[in-house]
């Protein structure tokens, strides 16, 4: 209002103005302080000013002192933005988000939020069963480790490769994230059919990174079958013993076999359902106990045990002095055979007429062995003897010639 010296006065219009020394208010709703974020980081803010309006707002993201990204916040979208961190690949690192805003009179505000960038999928370590194909013939405990800095869920399934049906499964989730989960569940092999099984394990973290790992294992509760072809007897007549056998298994393509005899235990590989051979050499003439064992890949074992007596010495076979010989004036011929052999099996005496026809064979397993051939016509006769032992050794006498003339 103004007044002159004559008393005239006049009043102007009233004007208003704002005195603003206050910085804008910044609230960051994403990322949450000390949380984890994935490859796409959503920057959600609420920026307000109680007296004036917001002039501009921006963000910067640092890893320590290294600037990774910066940009403007969009006023038409609640001062929000999106940062795609995939350019940094599979990394895990601590980051700081700095929000800067000023109002229209130049008051400046900043807000910092620390968070963790997690662009790495969980790690799954298959300890038991391992990635290498493994056979099991008994129950075993899983040992599978799932790791991530923000792990919040994991599961596993075991299913039959043959039928495709799930035979066992489990899952675990965490309300607040963890860094590791170890599966130790018991796998009940005794309840499984023999065959191939697939274990598949999943792990997921709080920002959407995930990993799946799988491996095969074999359940095998069935013992192989072993058939021994040689030695086929309890006796052998050679210092070398050939072991020949066939081993059959329901799954394993090859089996590990060993033979124990005479203090020697060699191990060797046998092909499933095929003939397998091994020869021992240099054995003496004594009794040997032996065992044949075969083991499949699941450690199922089949065995066979017996013994064999090595006898490489032929029987000593002779006619005794009481055996007939030469020219006789009687109608009978006596043959008396003595054999020396610890493992005597059979003594045979063969009797032939003058034309060489075999007219009598007499056998015994005892020594001495006497046979009296009676009621013989006059003429020429031949006889000899063969003895054999249980190991198959044999010996022959000379052939005797006797002439009967009773007239």
């Amino acid at each position: 209002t103004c007044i002159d010296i004559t008393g005239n006065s006049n009043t102007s219009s009233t004007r208003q103005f704002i005195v603003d020394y206050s910085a804008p208010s910044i609230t960051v709703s994403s990322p949450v302080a000390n949380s984890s974020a994935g490859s796409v980081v959503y920057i959600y803010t609420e920026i307000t000013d109680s007296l004036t309006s917001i002039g501009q707002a921006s963000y910067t993201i640092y890893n320590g002192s290294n600037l990774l990204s910066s940009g403007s916040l969009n006023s038409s979208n609640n001062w929000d933005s999106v940062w795609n961190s995939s350019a940094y690949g599979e990394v895990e690192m601590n980051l700081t988000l700095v929000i800067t805003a000023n109002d229209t009179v130049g008051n400046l505000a900043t807000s910092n939020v620390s968070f963790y960038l997690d662009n790495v999928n969980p790690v799954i370590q298959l300890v038991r069963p391992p990635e290498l194909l493994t056979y099991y013939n008994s129950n075993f405990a899983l040992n599978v480790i799932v790791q991530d800095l923000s792990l919040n869920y994991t599961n596993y399934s075991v299913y039959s490769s043959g039928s495709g049906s799930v035979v066992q499964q489990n899952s675990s989730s965490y309300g607040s994230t963890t860094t590791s989960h170890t599966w130790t569940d018991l796998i009940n092999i005794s309840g499984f059919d023999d065959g191939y099984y697939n274990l598949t394990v999943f792990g997921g973290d709080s920002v959407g990174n995930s990993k799946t790992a799988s491996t095969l294992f074999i359940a095998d509760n069935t013992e192989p079958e072993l058939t021994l072809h040689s030695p086929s007897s309890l006796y052998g007549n050679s210092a070398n013993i050939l072991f020949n056998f066939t081993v059959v298994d329901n799954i394993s393509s090859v089996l590990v076999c060993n033979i124990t005899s005479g203090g020697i235990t060699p191990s060797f590989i046998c092909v499933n359902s095929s003939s397998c051979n091994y020869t021992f050499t240099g054995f003496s003439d004594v009794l040997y106990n032996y065992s044949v064992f075969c083991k499949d890949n699941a450690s199922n074992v089949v065995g066979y045990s017996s013994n064999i007596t090595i006898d490489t010495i032929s029987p000593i076979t002779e006619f005794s002095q009481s055996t007939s010989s030469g020219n006789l004036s009687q109608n009978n011929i006596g043959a008396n055979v003595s054999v020396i052999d610890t493992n005597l099996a059979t003594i045979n005496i063969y009797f032939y007429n003058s034309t060489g026809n075999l007219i009598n064979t007499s056998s015994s397993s005892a020594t001495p062995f006497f046979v009296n051939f009676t009621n013989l016509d006059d003429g020429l006769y031949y006889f000899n003897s063969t003895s054999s032992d249980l190991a198959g050794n044999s010996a022959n006498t000379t052939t005797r010639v006797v002439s009967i003339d009773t007239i």
Side-chain angles (χ1 to χ4, degrees):
T1 299
C2 295
I3 303 173
D4 61 19
I5 58 174
T6 62
N8 298 310
S9 63
N10 196 7
T11 301
S12 67
S13 61
T14 301
R15 296 190 176 185
Q16 295 181 337
F17 64 92
I18 298 174
V19 178
D20 183 3
Y21 294 106
S22 299
S25 172
I26 301 175
T27 302
V28 179
S29 58
S30 176
V32 177
N34 301 316
S35 67
S36 296
S39 59
V40 178
V41 179
Y42 297 93
I43 303 172
Y44 294 157
T45 70
E46 182 179 348
I47 304 175
T48 59
D49 192 273
S50 59
L51 297 176
T52 59
S53 58
I54 303 301
Q56 62 180 6
S58 62
Y59 74 89
T60 52
I61 297 177
Y62 294 91
N63 171 230
S65 61
N66 298 320
L67 177 64
L68 302 185
S69 181
S70 62
S72 299
L73 298 178
N74 187 351
S75 61
S76 64
N77 191 28
N78 298 322
W79 303 105
D80 297 334
S81 187
V82 175
W83 174 48
N84 189 335
S85 67
S86 59
Y88 293 94
E90 293 188 1
V91 295
E92 294 176 322
M93 54 185 173
N94 292 307
L95 300 180
T96 300
L97 170 66
V98 180
I99 303 296
T100 302
N102 59 271
D103 58 20
T104 53
V105 296
N107 295 307
L108 183 67
T110 61
S111 180
N112 297 351
V113 173
S114 295
F115 68 99
Y116 189 78
L117 180 66
D118 181 2
N119 282 353
V120 178
N121 293 328
V123 175
I124 299 176
Q125 184 179 3
L126 298 169
V127 180
R128 188 174 52 249
E131 294 182 12
L132 182 68
L133 183 64
T134 305
Y135 292 69
Y136 294 95
N137 66 353
S138 60
N139 300 340
F140 68 93
L142 286 175
N143 187 358
V144 178
I145 304 168
V146 185
Q147 295 174 303
D148 192 272
L149 291 176
S150 58
L151 184 69
N152 70 347
Y153 180 77
T154 178
N155 67 45
Y156 77 84
S157 297
V158 178
Y159 60 89
S160 168
S161 296
S163 66
S165 59
V166 175
V167 296
Q168 187 168 324
Q169 61 185 352
N170 202 354
S171 64
S172 183
S173 58
Y174 295 89
S176 57
T177 60
T178 187
T179 58
S180 179
H181 179 93
T182 301
W183 288 110
T184 59
D185 292 12
L186 183 69
I187 302 299
N188 186 15
I189 291 295
S190 60
F192 291 4
D193 293 331
D194 286 359
Y196 287 76
Y197 289 83
N198 181 289
L199 168 67
T200 298
V201 183
F202 173 85
D205 63 20
S206 61
V207 297
N209 299 308
S210 64
K211 179 69 176 290
T212 299
S214 62
T215 186
L216 288 174
F217 66 89
I218 293 176
D220 182 2
N221 294 303
T222 303
E223 292 181 357
E225 297 179 359
L226 188 149
T227 303
L228 184 70
H229 308 299
S230 174
S232 58
S233 170
L234 297 176
Y235 294 86
N237 60 7
S238 171
N240 303 328
I241 305 176
L242 170 65
F243 284 88
N244 173 262
F245 58 92
T246 302
V247 60
V248 178
D249 192 73
N250 61 333
I251 296 178
S252 298
S253 58
V254 295
L255 299 93
V256 177
C257 299
N258 62 70
I259 302 173
T260 300
S261 184
I264 304 173
T265 308
S267 294
F268 45 94
I269 299 298
C270 290
V271 177
N272 186 11
S273 301
S274 297
S275 178
C276 204
N277 299 288
Y278 190 88
T279 300
F280 284 89
T281 61
F283 277 8
S284 304
D285 283 22
V286 293
L287 182 145
Y288 293 91
N289 294 310
Y290 67 84
S291 297
V292 182
F293 292 99
C294 289
K295 177 174 66 175
D296 64 17
N297 290 333
S299 295
N300 298 304
V301 177
V302 61
Y304 177 89
S305 296
S306 187
N307 61 73
I308 184 171
T309 298
I310 302 301
D311 179 2
T312 61
I313 301 174
S314 296
I316 299 175
T317 305
E318 297 178 341
F319 286 123
S320 66
Q321 292 182 354
S322 61
T323 299
S324 300
S325 63
N327 298 315
L328 300 178
S329 60
Q330 60 193 40
N331 66 353
N332 68 292
I333 295 175
N336 194 2
V337 180
S338 294
V339 178
I340 300 174
D341 194 290
T342 56
N343 301 305
L344 178 63
T346 304
I347 302 172
N348 292 314
I349 298 177
Y350 303 101
F351 195 72
Y352 304 86
N353 61 19
S354 60
T355 61
N357 293 323
L358 179 65
I359 59 176
N360 184 277
T361 299
S362 299
S363 300
S364 175
S365 60
T367 183
F369 178 35
F370 175 78
V371 178
N372 188 23
F373 300 101
T374 60
N375 299 319
L376 300 175
D377 296 331
D378 287 2
L380 200 63
Y381 294 91
Y382 306 87
F383 61 94
N384 56 35
S385 176
T386 299
S387 62
S388 60
D389 60 22
L390 295 172
N393 301 301
S394 62
N396 302 315
T397 64
T398 59
T399 299
R400 291 203 174 187
V401 181
V402 175
S403 175
I404 292 181
D405 184 1
T406 60
I407 301 174

